[in-house]
């Protein structure tokens, strides 16, 4: 086996899919080790189906739990899988607990580690994701930085330039490959009664927002005010974490906010591309909105995707209802910016940079 992909959550499946497919084109041998951090169909198997990915060789079925317990169980399982498959390189993507476990396991073994989406920084150590990405970067052998800015952060932390390749973000590869298919196949706009109407797309699942009742209520109040101000419905495909908090806190969603089940990838792409604006606290969704030319308001105090703000595609609003409403008014209608995340060939660049016995792609992109 040349590469082991260790993944476990929705965004990792989506953003590693282009790299896995590039391995298929080049005839590079790989195994997929799924930690099982995400296991509900709507966060997991639906993406394997839609993105045409093979079933994982390993499904560790770790599931949900406190950070230490979840990460520790993954570490044990990933180590066993790597021991059995002896890959040359382990690839992880992003900043979840699955990434931390994959990175730690690889770093203690005779296998090299590549971090896809290296060098992102929010500089907010309150976020578990920031700890995960910093630790993964500091044990990785190969850093695939999406932008020059992320390369700069890595250099500042003492990581050698020869270990870093600026590749662009594989999110662009995924969007380019799937947008036309989504436009052709997805019936989401008709299904949700959105065709031809003005709407905002909302995603909010970040622990620091939805686990804090006051912040969650404020975020929803902001979405309501923005929707009212512009006569737009706010469609909210709700992550299971958020769904549990709505129930636990006894929150009644405000009238403009329409909760729906988490969307499949093609439906989500189509719903994003057709939205008038995106409201989010997701990392990947900030990038996709920017790539698709849809203005974004990020309901956080900071972002590890400042390129989107600098490009004029995104604005930070925290969870303050008045700031959310104002940011939406300021961003609505914006669309003219350059995509800072590359040209959609990130996956090919990642494989080129790995010291594998690379073969020519069967299909040139
Ligand atoms: C995780 C990542 C986060 C990422 C997100 C992507 C960490 C620390 N967090 O957050 O960075 O943005 O994935 O979506 O790694 N649940 C289900 N079904 C599932 C998975 C989770 O119902 O398949 C529910 C459970 O109630 C669980 C909760 O969601 O307790 C949180 O799941 P968890 O994996 O801990 O974190 P996410 O919020 O998904
Ligand atoms: N996504 C999806 N359906 C949804 C919400 C998000 O397919 O209902 C996709 C979206 O296209 C993006 C990814 O999930 O590629 C983002 O994942 P998430 O917001 O869960 O995690 P983050 O990027 O914040 O870590």
């Amino acid at each position: 086996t040349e590469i082991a992909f260790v993944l476990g959550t929705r965004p990792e499946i989506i953003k590693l899919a282009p790299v896995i497919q590039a391995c298929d084109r080049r005839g590079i041998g790989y195994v997929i080790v799924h930690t099982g951090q995400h296991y509900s169909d709507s966060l997991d198997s639906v993406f394997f189906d839609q993105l045409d990915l093979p079933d994982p060789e390993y499904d560790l079925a770790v599931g949900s739990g406190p950070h230490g317990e979840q990460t520790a169980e993954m570490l044990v399982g990933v180590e066993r899988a790597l021991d059995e498959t002896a890959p040359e390189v382990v690839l992880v993507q992003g900043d979840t607990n699955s990434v931390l476990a994959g990175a730690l396991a690889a770093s203690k073994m005779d296998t090299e580690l590549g971090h896809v989406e290296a060098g992102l920084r929010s500089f907010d150590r309150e976020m578990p994701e920031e700890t995960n990405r910093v630790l993964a970067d500091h044990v990785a052998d190969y850093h695939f930085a999406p932008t020059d800015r992320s390369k700069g952060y890595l250099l500042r932390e003492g990581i050698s330039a020869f270990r870093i390749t600026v590749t662009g973000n594989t999110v662009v590869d995924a969007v380019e490959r799937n947008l036309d298919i989504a436009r052709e196949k997805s019936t989401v706009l008709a299904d949700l009664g959105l065709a031809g109407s003005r709407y905002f797309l909302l995603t909010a699942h970040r622990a620091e927002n939805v686990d804090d009742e006051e912040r969650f209520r404020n975020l929803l109040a902001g979405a309501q005010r923005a929707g009212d101000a512009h006569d737009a419905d706010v469609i909210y495909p709700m992550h299971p974490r958020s769904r549990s908090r709505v129930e636990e806190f006894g929150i009644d969603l405000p009238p403009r906010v329409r909760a729906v089940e988490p969307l499949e990838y093609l439906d989500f792409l189509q719903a994003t591309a057709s939205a008038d604006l995106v409201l989010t606290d997701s990392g990947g969704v900030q990038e996709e909105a920017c790539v698709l030319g849809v203005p974004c308001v990020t309901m956080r105090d900071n972002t590890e995707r400042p390129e989107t703000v600098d490009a004029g595609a995104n604005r930070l609003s925290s969870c303050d209802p008045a700031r959310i409403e104002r940011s939406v008014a300021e961003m609505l209608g914006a669309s003219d910016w350059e995509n800072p995340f590359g040209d959609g060939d990130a996956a090919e660049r990642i494989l080129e940079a790995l010291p594998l016995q690379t073969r020519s792609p069967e299909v040139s992109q």
Side-chain angles (χ1 to χ4, degrees), residues 189-219:
L189 300 181
D191 297 347
L192 297 178
L194 297 172
S197 64
R198 167 180 286 213
Y199 70 93
F200 303 154
L201 185 67
L202 164 66
T203 82
H205 73 282
R206 194 74 46 202
E208 73 267 16
N209 281 346
V210 304
D211 290 1
D212 177 329
E213 182 173 349
E214 196 187 340
R215 272 185 87 88
F216 198 4
R217 285 185 184 276
N218 280 338
L219 176 164

PDB file of all heavy atoms in Angstrom, residues 189-219:
ATOM      1  N   LEU A 189     -33.873  22.622  -5.249  1.00  0.00           N
ATOM      2  CA  LEU A 189     -34.586  23.904  -5.245  1.00  0.00           C
ATOM      3  C   LEU A 189     -36.084  23.681  -5.366  1.00  0.00           C
ATOM      4  O   LEU A 189     -36.890  24.288  -4.644  1.00  0.00           O
ATOM      5  CB  LEU A 189     -34.070  24.812  -6.369  1.00  0.00           C
ATOM      6  CG  LEU A 189     -32.584  25.162  -6.297  1.00  0.00           C
ATOM      7  CD1 LEU A 189     -32.189  26.084  -7.454  1.00  0.00           C
ATOM      8  CD2 LEU A 189     -32.220  25.806  -4.969  1.00  0.00           C
ATOM      9  N   ALA A 190     -36.457  22.768  -6.262  1.00  0.00           N
ATOM     10  CA  ALA A 190     -37.877  22.435  -6.401  1.00  0.00           C
ATOM     11  C   ALA A 190     -38.388  21.737  -5.126  1.00  0.00           C
ATOM     12  O   ALA A 190     -39.452  22.073  -4.602  1.00  0.00           O
ATOM     13  CB  ALA A 190     -38.086  21.537  -7.617  1.00  0.00           C
ATOM     14  N   ASP A 191     -37.585  20.806  -4.606  1.00  0.00           N
ATOM     15  CA  ASP A 191     -38.008  20.049  -3.420  1.00  0.00           C
ATOM     16  C   ASP A 191     -38.287  20.983  -2.238  1.00  0.00           C
ATOM     17  O   ASP A 191     -39.201  20.750  -1.442  1.00  0.00           O
ATOM     18  CB  ASP A 191     -36.939  19.038  -2.992  1.00  0.00           C
ATOM     19  CG  ASP A 191     -36.698  17.982  -4.056  1.00  0.00           C
ATOM     20  OD1 ASP A 191     -37.520  17.883  -4.996  1.00  0.00           O
ATOM     21  OD2 ASP A 191     -35.673  17.271  -3.970  1.00  0.00           O
ATOM     22  N   LEU A 192     -37.462  22.022  -2.107  1.00  0.00           N
ATOM     23  CA  LEU A 192     -37.634  22.924  -0.959  1.00  0.00           C
ATOM     24  C   LEU A 192     -38.476  24.156  -1.322  1.00  0.00           C
ATOM     25  O   LEU A 192     -38.618  25.064  -0.505  1.00  0.00           O
ATOM     26  CB  LEU A 192     -36.263  23.357  -0.419  1.00  0.00           C
ATOM     27  CG  LEU A 192     -35.366  22.239   0.141  1.00  0.00           C
ATOM     28  CD1 LEU A 192     -34.019  22.796   0.584  1.00  0.00           C
ATOM     29  CD2 LEU A 192     -36.040  21.516   1.304  1.00  0.00           C
ATOM     30  N   GLY A 193     -38.999  24.184  -2.531  1.00  0.00           N
ATOM     31  CA  GLY A 193     -39.850  25.316  -2.953  1.00  0.00           C
ATOM     32  C   GLY A 193     -39.068  26.613  -3.063  1.00  0.00           C
ATOM     33  O   GLY A 193     -39.587  27.690  -2.748  1.00  0.00           O
ATOM     34  N   LEU A 194     -37.811  26.528  -3.520  1.00  0.00           N
ATOM     35  CA  LEU A 194     -36.951  27.722  -3.536  1.00  0.00           C
ATOM     36  C   LEU A 194     -36.740  28.294  -4.926  1.00  0.00           C
ATOM     37  O   LEU A 194     -36.179  29.384  -5.060  1.00  0.00           O
ATOM     38  CB  LEU A 194     -35.575  27.375  -2.953  1.00  0.00           C
ATOM     39  CG  LEU A 194     -35.576  26.941  -1.495  1.00  0.00           C
ATOM     40  CD1 LEU A 194     -34.191  26.435  -1.102  1.00  0.00           C
ATOM     41  CD2 LEU A 194     -36.000  28.098  -0.612  1.00  0.00           C
ATOM     42  N   ALA A 195     -37.155  27.542  -5.947  1.00  0.00           N
ATOM     43  CA  ALA A 195     -36.839  27.974  -7.307  1.00  0.00           C
ATOM     44  C   ALA A 195     -37.376  29.380  -7.536  1.00  0.00           C
ATOM     45  O   ALA A 195     -38.548  29.660  -7.272  1.00  0.00           O
ATOM     46  CB  ALA A 195     -37.433  26.989  -8.308  1.00  0.00           C
ATOM     47  N   GLY A 196     -36.495  30.258  -7.979  1.00  0.00           N
ATOM     48  CA  GLY A 196     -36.913  31.620  -8.314  1.00  0.00           C
ATOM     49  C   GLY A 196     -37.120  32.536  -7.113  1.00  0.00           C
ATOM     50  O   GLY A 196     -37.419  33.709  -7.288  1.00  0.00           O
ATOM     51  N   SER A 197     -36.949  32.025  -5.888  1.00  0.00           N
ATOM     52  CA  SER A 197     -37.181  32.921  -4.741  1.00  0.00           C
ATOM     53  C   SER A 197     -35.870  33.309  -4.079  1.00  0.00           C
ATOM     54  O   SER A 197     -34.850  32.626  -4.206  1.00  0.00           O
ATOM     55  CB  SER A 197     -38.118  32.274  -3.723  1.00  0.00           C
ATOM     56  OG  SER A 197     -37.510  31.132  -3.192  1.00  0.00           O
ATOM     57  N   ARG A 198     -35.912  34.440  -3.391  1.00  0.00           N
ATOM     58  CA  ARG A 198     -34.728  34.912  -2.677  1.00  0.00           C
ATOM     59  C   ARG A 198     -34.593  34.120  -1.376  1.00  0.00           C
ATOM     60  O   ARG A 198     -35.558  33.985  -0.627  1.00  0.00           O
ATOM     61  CB  ARG A 198     -34.930  36.386  -2.358  1.00  0.00           C
ATOM     62  CG  ARG A 198     -33.944  36.934  -1.363  1.00  0.00           C
ATOM     63  CD  ARG A 198     -34.211  38.396  -1.108  1.00  0.00           C
ATOM     64  NE  ARG A 198     -33.761  39.159  -2.259  1.00  0.00           N
ATOM     65  CZ  ARG A 198     -33.246  40.399  -2.160  1.00  0.00           C
ATOM     66  NH1 ARG A 198     -33.136  40.991  -0.987  1.00  0.00           N
ATOM     67  NH2 ARG A 198     -32.855  41.041  -3.237  1.00  0.00           N
ATOM     68  N   TYR A 199     -33.431  33.564  -1.141  1.00  0.00           N
ATOM     69  CA  TYR A 199     -33.223  32.879   0.138  1.00  0.00           C
ATOM     70  C   TYR A 199     -31.765  32.942   0.563  1.00  0.00           C
ATOM     71  O   TYR A 199     -30.875  33.140  -0.261  1.00  0.00           O
ATOM     72  CB  TYR A 199     -33.687  31.417   0.061  1.00  0.00           C
ATOM     73  CG  TYR A 199     -32.815  30.521  -0.799  1.00  0.00           C
ATOM     74  CD1 TYR A 199     -31.775  29.785  -0.255  1.00  0.00           C
ATOM     75  CD2 TYR A 199     -33.032  30.420  -2.177  1.00  0.00           C
ATOM     76  CE1 TYR A 199     -30.965  28.975  -1.043  1.00  0.00           C
ATOM     77  CE2 TYR A 199     -32.225  29.617  -2.974  1.00  0.00           C
ATOM     78  CZ  TYR A 199     -31.198  28.900  -2.403  1.00  0.00           C
ATOM     79  OH  TYR A 199     -30.401  28.104  -3.186  1.00  0.00           O
ATOM     80  N   PHE A 200     -31.569  32.806   1.867  1.00  0.00           N
ATOM     81  CA  PHE A 200     -30.219  32.683   2.422  1.00  0.00           C
ATOM     82  C   PHE A 200     -30.034  31.237   2.873  1.00  0.00           C
ATOM     83  O   PHE A 200     -30.999  30.603   3.327  1.00  0.00           O
ATOM     84  CB  PHE A 200     -30.039  33.609   3.633  1.00  0.00           C
ATOM     85  CG  PHE A 200     -30.296  35.071   3.350  1.00  0.00           C
ATOM     86  CD1 PHE A 200     -30.708  35.919   4.368  1.00  0.00           C
ATOM     87  CD2 PHE A 200     -30.107  35.600   2.080  1.00  0.00           C
ATOM     88  CE1 PHE A 200     -30.950  37.270   4.126  1.00  0.00           C
ATOM     89  CE2 PHE A 200     -30.342  36.955   1.819  1.00  0.00           C
ATOM     90  CZ  PHE A 200     -30.767  37.788   2.847  1.00  0.00           C
ATOM     91  N   LEU A 201     -28.810  30.733   2.747  1.00  0.00           N
ATOM     92  CA  LEU A 201     -28.505  29.384   3.216  1.00  0.00           C
ATOM     93  C   LEU A 201     -27.717  29.504   4.517  1.00  0.00           C
ATOM     94  O   LEU A 201     -26.706  30.218   4.572  1.00  0.00           O
ATOM     95  CB  LEU A 201     -27.683  28.640   2.163  1.00  0.00           C
ATOM     96  CG  LEU A 201     -27.387  27.176   2.467  1.00  0.00           C
ATOM     97  CD1 LEU A 201     -28.660  26.337   2.439  1.00  0.00           C
ATOM     98  CD2 LEU A 201     -26.381  26.603   1.448  1.00  0.00           C
ATOM     99  N   LEU A 202     -28.178  28.821   5.552  1.00  0.00           N
ATOM    100  CA  LEU A 202     -27.541  28.902   6.876  1.00  0.00           C
ATOM    101  C   LEU A 202     -26.968  27.546   7.273  1.00  0.00           C
ATOM    102  O   LEU A 202     -27.665  26.527   7.149  1.00  0.00           O
ATOM    103  CB  LEU A 202     -28.606  29.328   7.900  1.00  0.00           C
ATOM    104  CG  LEU A 202     -28.317  29.145   9.388  1.00  0.00           C
ATOM    105  CD1 LEU A 202     -27.184  30.046   9.851  1.00  0.00           C
ATOM    106  CD2 LEU A 202     -29.579  29.443  10.212  1.00  0.00           C
ATOM    107  N   THR A 203     -25.692  27.513   7.712  1.00  0.00           N
ATOM    108  CA  THR A 203     -25.229  26.324   8.433  1.00  0.00           C
ATOM    109  C   THR A 203     -24.562  26.802   9.718  1.00  0.00           C
ATOM    110  O   THR A 203     -23.832  27.800   9.711  1.00  0.00           O
ATOM    111  CB  THR A 203     -24.231  25.419   7.646  1.00  0.00           C
ATOM    112  OG1 THR A 203     -22.907  25.944   7.749  1.00  0.00           O
ATOM    113  CG2 THR A 203     -24.633  25.223   6.197  1.00  0.00           C
ATOM    114  N   ALA A 204     -24.856  26.107  10.811  1.00  0.00           N
ATOM    115  CA  ALA A 204     -24.240  26.440  12.106  1.00  0.00           C
ATOM    116  C   ALA A 204     -24.150  25.167  12.916  1.00  0.00           C
ATOM    117  O   ALA A 204     -25.169  24.531  13.184  1.00  0.00           O
ATOM    118  CB  ALA A 204     -25.082  27.487  12.834  1.00  0.00           C
ATOM    119  N   HIS A 205     -22.929  24.773  13.233  1.00  0.00           N
ATOM    120  CA  HIS A 205     -22.733  23.542  14.006  1.00  0.00           C
ATOM    121  C   HIS A 205     -21.565  23.634  14.960  1.00  0.00           C
ATOM    122  O   HIS A 205     -21.304  22.709  15.716  1.00  0.00           O
ATOM    123  CB  HIS A 205     -22.486  22.360  13.058  1.00  0.00           C
ATOM    124  CG  HIS A 205     -21.120  22.399  12.427  1.00  0.00           C
ATOM    125  ND1 HIS A 205     -20.811  23.221  11.375  1.00  0.00           N
ATOM    126  CD2 HIS A 205     -19.976  21.739  12.733  1.00  0.00           C
ATOM    127  CE1 HIS A 205     -19.534  23.052  11.043  1.00  0.00           C
ATOM    128  NE2 HIS A 205     -19.002  22.164  11.853  1.00  0.00           N
ATOM    129  N   ARG A 206     -20.803  24.725  14.874  1.00  0.00           N
ATOM    130  CA  ARG A 206     -19.554  24.834  15.624  1.00  0.00           C
ATOM    131  C   ARG A 206     -19.858  24.768  17.120  1.00  0.00           C
ATOM    132  O   ARG A 206     -20.774  25.436  17.610  1.00  0.00           O
ATOM    133  CB  ARG A 206     -18.955  26.184  15.236  1.00  0.00           C
ATOM    134  CG  ARG A 206     -17.570  26.463  15.577  1.00  0.00           C
ATOM    135  CD  ARG A 206     -16.496  25.796  14.812  1.00  0.00           C
ATOM    136  NE  ARG A 206     -16.604  25.764  13.377  1.00  0.00           N
ATOM    137  CZ  ARG A 206     -15.961  24.859  12.638  1.00  0.00           C
ATOM    138  NH1 ARG A 206     -15.202  23.944  13.209  1.00  0.00           N
ATOM    139  NH2 ARG A 206     -16.064  24.871  11.352  1.00  0.00           N
ATOM    140  N   ALA A 207     -19.084  23.959  17.854  1.00  0.00           N
ATOM    141  CA  ALA A 207     -19.344  23.744  19.282  1.00  0.00           C
ATOM    142  C   ALA A 207     -19.455  25.067  20.043  1.00  0.00           C
ATOM    143  O   ALA A 207     -20.373  25.245  20.852  1.00  0.00           O
ATOM    144  CB  ALA A 207     -18.246  22.866  19.879  1.00  0.00           C
ATOM    145  N   GLU A 208     -18.546  26.013  19.767  1.00  0.00           N
ATOM    146  CA  GLU A 208     -18.566  27.252  20.568  1.00  0.00           C
ATOM    147  C   GLU A 208     -19.815  28.091  20.294  1.00  0.00           C
ATOM    148  O   GLU A 208     -20.163  28.962  21.088  1.00  0.00           O
ATOM    149  CB  GLU A 208     -17.293  28.077  20.360  1.00  0.00           C
ATOM    150  CG  GLU A 208     -17.177  28.797  19.035  1.00  0.00           C
ATOM    151  CD  GLU A 208     -16.432  27.991  17.971  1.00  0.00           C
ATOM    152  OE1 GLU A 208     -16.279  26.757  18.157  1.00  0.00           O
ATOM    153  OE2 GLU A 208     -16.031  28.582  16.957  1.00  0.00           O
ATOM    154  N   ASN A 209     -20.510  27.827  19.209  1.00  0.00           N
ATOM    155  CA  ASN A 209     -21.754  28.552  18.924  1.00  0.00           C
ATOM    156  C   ASN A 209     -22.990  27.808  19.424  1.00  0.00           C
ATOM    157  O   ASN A 209     -23.815  28.378  20.121  1.00  0.00           O
ATOM    158  CB  ASN A 209     -21.900  28.795  17.419  1.00  0.00           C
ATOM    159  CG  ASN A 209     -21.049  29.961  16.948  1.00  0.00           C
ATOM    160  OD1 ASN A 209     -20.549  30.755  17.763  1.00  0.00           O
ATOM    161  ND2 ASN A 209     -20.866  30.083  15.650  1.00  0.00           N
ATOM    162  N   VAL A 210     -23.119  26.542  19.038  1.00  0.00           N
ATOM    163  CA  VAL A 210     -24.407  25.882  19.310  1.00  0.00           C
ATOM    164  C   VAL A 210     -24.465  25.223  20.686  1.00  0.00           C
ATOM    165  O   VAL A 210     -25.552  24.947  21.192  1.00  0.00           O
ATOM    166  CB  VAL A 210     -24.796  24.868  18.203  1.00  0.00           C
ATOM    167  CG1 VAL A 210     -24.817  25.540  16.849  1.00  0.00           C
ATOM    168  CG2 VAL A 210     -23.892  23.645  18.194  1.00  0.00           C
ATOM    169  N   ASP A 211     -23.315  24.973  21.318  1.00  0.00           N
ATOM    170  CA  ASP A 211     -23.357  24.411  22.672  1.00  0.00           C
ATOM    171  C   ASP A 211     -23.589  25.499  23.715  1.00  0.00           C
ATOM    172  O   ASP A 211     -23.835  25.209  24.880  1.00  0.00           O
ATOM    173  CB  ASP A 211     -22.052  23.665  23.000  1.00  0.00           C
ATOM    174  CG  ASP A 211     -21.907  22.370  22.205  1.00  0.00           C
ATOM    175  OD1 ASP A 211     -22.806  22.070  21.392  1.00  0.00           O
ATOM    176  OD2 ASP A 211     -20.900  21.661  22.394  1.00  0.00           O
ATOM    177  N   ASP A 212     -23.511  26.754  23.289  1.00  0.00           N
ATOM    178  CA  ASP A 212     -23.715  27.891  24.189  1.00  0.00           C
ATOM    179  C   ASP A 212     -25.102  28.461  23.871  1.00  0.00           C
ATOM    180  O   ASP A 212     -25.316  29.050  22.801  1.00  0.00           O
ATOM    181  CB  ASP A 212     -22.593  28.917  23.892  1.00  0.00           C
ATOM    182  CG  ASP A 212     -22.709  30.192  24.714  1.00  0.00           C
ATOM    183  OD1 ASP A 212     -23.845  30.603  25.048  1.00  0.00           O
ATOM    184  OD2 ASP A 212     -21.658  30.785  24.999  1.00  0.00           O
ATOM    185  N   GLU A 213     -26.037  28.262  24.812  1.00  0.00           N
ATOM    186  CA  GLU A 213     -27.434  28.575  24.503  1.00  0.00           C
ATOM    187  C   GLU A 213     -27.623  30.023  24.064  1.00  0.00           C
ATOM    188  O   GLU A 213     -28.337  30.312  23.099  1.00  0.00           O
ATOM    189  CB  GLU A 213     -28.332  28.268  25.715  1.00  0.00           C
ATOM    190  CG  GLU A 213     -29.793  28.530  25.398  1.00  0.00           C
ATOM    191  CD  GLU A 213     -30.754  28.087  26.502  1.00  0.00           C
ATOM    192  OE1 GLU A 213     -30.325  27.386  27.438  1.00  0.00           O
ATOM    193  OE2 GLU A 213     -31.941  28.471  26.402  1.00  0.00           O
ATOM    194  N   GLU A 214     -26.948  30.943  24.770  1.00  0.00           N
ATOM    195  CA  GLU A 214     -27.144  32.347  24.435  1.00  0.00           C
ATOM    196  C   GLU A 214     -26.623  32.657  23.023  1.00  0.00           C
ATOM    197  O   GLU A 214     -27.281  33.334  22.230  1.00  0.00           O
ATOM    198  CB  GLU A 214     -26.434  33.211  25.472  1.00  0.00           C
ATOM    199  CG  GLU A 214     -26.901  34.651  25.426  1.00  0.00           C
ATOM    200  CD  GLU A 214     -26.072  35.548  26.336  1.00  0.00           C
ATOM    201  OE1 GLU A 214     -25.409  35.036  27.273  1.00  0.00           O
ATOM    202  OE2 GLU A 214     -26.086  36.770  26.075  1.00  0.00           O
ATOM    203  N   ARG A 215     -25.435  32.136  22.728  1.00  0.00           N
ATOM    204  CA  ARG A 215     -24.875  32.390  21.386  1.00  0.00           C
ATOM    205  C   ARG A 215     -25.759  31.771  20.305  1.00  0.00           C
ATOM    206  O   ARG A 215     -25.992  32.375  19.257  1.00  0.00           O
ATOM    207  CB  ARG A 215     -23.456  31.790  21.270  1.00  0.00           C
ATOM    208  CG  ARG A 215     -22.370  32.728  21.729  1.00  0.00           C
ATOM    209  CD  ARG A 215     -20.984  32.133  21.486  1.00  0.00           C
ATOM    210  NE  ARG A 215     -20.458  32.400  20.141  1.00  0.00           N
ATOM    211  CZ  ARG A 215     -19.759  33.475  19.818  1.00  0.00           C
ATOM    212  NH1 ARG A 215     -19.499  34.405  20.721  1.00  0.00           N
ATOM    213  NH2 ARG A 215     -19.302  33.631  18.583  1.00  0.00           N
ATOM    214  N   PHE A 216     -26.240  30.575  20.569  1.00  0.00           N
ATOM    215  CA  PHE A 216     -27.074  29.908  19.556  1.00  0.00           C
ATOM    216  C   PHE A 216     -28.361  30.708  19.323  1.00  0.00           C
ATOM    217  O   PHE A 216     -28.768  30.957  18.186  1.00  0.00           O
ATOM    218  CB  PHE A 216     -27.375  28.472  20.011  1.00  0.00           C
ATOM    219  CG  PHE A 216     -27.841  27.555  18.904  1.00  0.00           C
ATOM    220  CD1 PHE A 216     -27.897  27.967  17.572  1.00  0.00           C
ATOM    221  CD2 PHE A 216     -28.225  26.245  19.203  1.00  0.00           C
ATOM    222  CE1 PHE A 216     -28.332  27.106  16.560  1.00  0.00           C
ATOM    223  CE2 PHE A 216     -28.664  25.374  18.198  1.00  0.00           C
ATOM    224  CZ  PHE A 216     -28.723  25.817  16.879  1.00  0.00           C
ATOM    225  N   ARG A 217     -28.995  31.147  20.430  1.00  0.00           N
ATOM    226  CA  ARG A 217     -30.235  31.931  20.272  1.00  0.00           C
ATOM    227  C   ARG A 217     -29.954  33.239  19.532  1.00  0.00           C
ATOM    228  O   ARG A 217     -30.746  33.678  18.697  1.00  0.00           O
ATOM    229  CB  ARG A 217     -30.860  32.225  21.644  1.00  0.00           C
ATOM    230  CG  ARG A 217     -31.557  31.015  22.277  1.00  0.00           C
ATOM    231  CD  ARG A 217     -32.261  31.404  23.573  1.00  0.00           C
ATOM    232  NE  ARG A 217     -32.850  30.258  24.241  1.00  0.00           N
ATOM    233  CZ  ARG A 217     -34.060  29.740  23.960  1.00  0.00           C
ATOM    234  NH1 ARG A 217     -34.815  30.298  23.014  1.00  0.00           N
ATOM    235  NH2 ARG A 217     -34.508  28.699  24.618  1.00  0.00           N
ATOM    236  N   ASN A 218     -28.806  33.884  19.822  1.00  0.00           N
ATOM    237  CA  ASN A 218     -28.466  35.144  19.152  1.00  0.00           C
ATOM    238  C   ASN A 218     -28.217  34.944  17.663  1.00  0.00           C
ATOM    239  O   ASN A 218     -28.635  35.758  16.834  1.00  0.00           O
ATOM    240  CB  ASN A 218     -27.208  35.760  19.783  1.00  0.00           C
ATOM    241  CG  ASN A 218     -27.536  36.494  21.061  1.00  0.00           C
ATOM    242  OD1 ASN A 218     -28.684  36.898  21.276  1.00  0.00           O
ATOM    243  ND2 ASN A 218     -26.556  36.648  21.921  1.00  0.00           N
ATOM    244  N   LEU A 219     -27.538  33.857  17.357  1.00  0.00           N
ATOM    245  CA  LEU A 219     -27.251  33.544  15.955  1.00  0.00           C
ATOM    246  C   LEU A 219     -28.564  33.374  15.166  1.00  0.00           C
ATOM    247  O   LEU A 219     -28.731  33.930  14.064  1.00  0.00           O
ATOM    248  CB  LEU A 219     -26.407  32.273  15.975  1.00  0.00           C
ATOM    249  CG  LEU A 219     -25.932  31.505  14.790  1.00  0.00           C
ATOM    250  CD1 LEU A 219     -24.811  30.573  15.259  1.00  0.00           C
ATOM    251  CD2 LEU A 219     -26.988  30.689  14.124  1.00  0.00           C
TER     252      LEU A 219
END
